[in-house]
């Protein structure tokens, strides 16, 4: 009997595939990256996920990056610290909302996607992107924070059309938000680019998985095993993985 996993159009690759690509791309270098100790808070990236994100950015030499969902800014910082000095990272999160819009059942924050999202948003509203605040000036200057509901994002008015090498979709996890952020991501990328999603196969945010499994039909979207990262390559990067498949 087929399992749901076997039915998806999303192909799973081992993280090693990306690391082998890094080896062959930079044969004379030890390729390292700067990462902070992961936050014990929910909503953070694992070390393996961080190394996958940085590998993707390095492989395509990303210099203009966009993140849906800033939260504490841990991944914003990761991307800013591991890209060339002239790279820019734009990161978007919600403007301050009234607390009534953020009510959630505390007991289900770790089991219910909507309660989890409300918790993350409430935490962002209360604390802001503390990782960005604490970063050194040279890193902060690479980051631009935008406070806007991604559902209202006007890609053209913001001047974001065809501007980014790397778009990371990690904002709201409701189906409609991931769908809208993905649509916008496609409008925002340059011809040669990568779109990355977080929370694919999350045990909490099922709607990300449902959206991506449906969306992936007829596309080449990859899931990196042992992570919640999925990605799609565009233009001259489309063939990057061909020798491993
Ligand atoms: C999982 S956290 C982001 C984590 C961050 N990318 C990281 O890796 O550290 C999701 C964030 O998306 C924000 N968010 C939720 N819905 C949003 C929306 N409609 N527009 C913009 N941001 C949204 C939340 O406020 C929250 O801070």
């Amino acid at each position: 009997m087929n399992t749901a996993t076997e039915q998806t159009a999303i192909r799973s690759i081992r993280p090693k595939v990306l690391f082998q690509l890094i080896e062959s791309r930079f044969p004379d270098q030890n390729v390292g990256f700067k990462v902070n100790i992961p936050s014990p808070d929910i909503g953070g990236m694992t070390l393996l996920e961080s190394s996958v994100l940085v590998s993707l950015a390095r492989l395509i030499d990303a210099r203009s990056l966009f993140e849906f969902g800033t939260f504490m800014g841990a991944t914003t910082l990761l991307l800013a610290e591991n890209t060339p000095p002239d790279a820019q990272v734009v990161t978007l999160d919600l403007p301050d909302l009234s607390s009534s819009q953020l009510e959630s059942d505390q007991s289900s924050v770790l089991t219910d996607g909507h309660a989890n999202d409300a918790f993350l948003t409430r935490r962002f509203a209360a604390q802001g992107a503390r990782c960005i605040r604490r970063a050194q000036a040279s890193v902060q200057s690479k980051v631009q924070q935008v406070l806007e509901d991604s559902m209202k994002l006007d890609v053209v008015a913001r001047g974001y059309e065809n501007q980014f090498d790397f778009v990371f979709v990690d904002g709201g996890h409701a189906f409609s938000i991931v769908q809208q952020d993905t649509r916008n991501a496609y409008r925002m990328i340059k011809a040669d680019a990568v779109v990355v999603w977080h929370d694919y196969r999350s045990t909490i945010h099922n709607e990300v998985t449902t959206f991506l499994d449906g969306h992936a039909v007829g596309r080449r979207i990859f899931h990196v095993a042992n992570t919640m990262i999925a990605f799609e390559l565009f233009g001259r990067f489309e063939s990057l993985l061909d020798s491993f498949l």
Side-chain angles (χ1 to χ4, degrees):
M1 198 177 82
N2 276 344
T3 63
T5 305
E6 286 161 348
Q7 281 166 7
T8 180
I10 297 185
R11 181 157 186 172
S12 203
I13 58 163
R14 288 187 294 169
K16 193 173 155 180
V17 167
L18 294 173
F19 305 151
Q20 281 169 335
L21 280 169
I22 289 280
E23 277 281 341
S24 50
R25 176 77 181 276
F26 306 100
D28 303 321
Q29 285 178 38
N30 293 318
V31 180
F33 70 108
K34 184 164 183 223
V35 63
N36 293 314
I37 299 291
S39 164
D41 240 330
I42 63 171
M45 218 41 75
T46 67
L47 283 172
L48 179 60
E49 289 176 328
S50 297
S51 63
V52 165
L53 280 184
V54 173
S55 295
L56 285 168
R58 291 292 302 264
L59 285 169
I60 69 158
D61 191 23
R63 282 157 197 265
S64 52
L65 303 93
F66 188 95
E67 177 185 38
F68 286 96
T70 312
F71 192 43
M72 290 183 290
T75 298
T76 321
L77 197 59
L78 176 81
L79 296 172
E81 284 186 318
N82 293 288
T83 44
D86 63 345
Q88 285 290 313
V89 185
V90 181
T91 183
L92 172 132
D93 210 295
L94 290 165
D96 206 1
L97 299 174
S98 73
S99 53
S100 62
Q101 286 174 271
L102 302 171
E103 294 299 326
S104 72
D105 175 5
Q106 288 295 307
S107 62
S108 55
V109 161
L110 292 177
T111 51
D112 176 84
H114 295 289
N116 187 283
D117 266 358
F119 171 84
L120 295 175
T121 296
R122 205 168 43 235
R123 176 65 63 88
F124 176 74
Q127 299 186 352
R130 66 172 196 250
C131 298
I132 300 172
R133 257 197 329 269
R134 297 187 299 208
Q136 60 196 59
S138 61
V139 178
Q140 279 187 5
S141 67
K142 296 172 73 177
V143 173
Q144 188 199 346
Q145 273 193 261
V146 177
L147 294 179
E148 183 167 37
D149 183 341
S150 69
M151 297 300 275
K152 297 180 185 154
L153 179 66
D154 185 336
V155 171
V156 176
R158 285 267 182 197
Y160 290 163
E161 247 181 339
N162 311 122
Q163 291 302 308
F164 296 95
D165 307 312
F166 183 114
V167 177
F168 183 41
V169 180
D170 190 24
H173 300 96
F175 188 101
S176 58
I177 301 182
V178 187
Q179 184 178 48
Q180 175 74 5
D181 292 351
T182 301
R183 276 192 195 127
N184 280 333
Y186 289 152
R187 298 172 64 204
M188 290 160 61
I189 51 170
K190 297 178 183 170
D192 305 316
V194 63
V195 174
V196 186
W197 294 266
H198 193 234
D199 291 299
Y200 179 64
R201 301 215 186 150
S202 155
T203 51
I204 304 176
H205 298 297
N206 308 326
E207 292 179 41
V208 177
T209 308
T210 306
F211 166 73
L212 273 180
D213 280 340
H215 175 72
V217 177
R219 296 185 163 273
R220 293 218 316 167
I221 297 184
F222 298 94
H223 169 229
V224 184
N226 301 314
T227 77
M228 293 191 284
I229 290 179
F231 68 91
E232 185 172 8
L233 297 160
F234 294 86
R236 67 190 166 93
F237 302 125
E238 261 178 47
S239 55
L240 212 54
L241 300 183
D242 282 1
S243 54
F244 293 94
L245 302 176

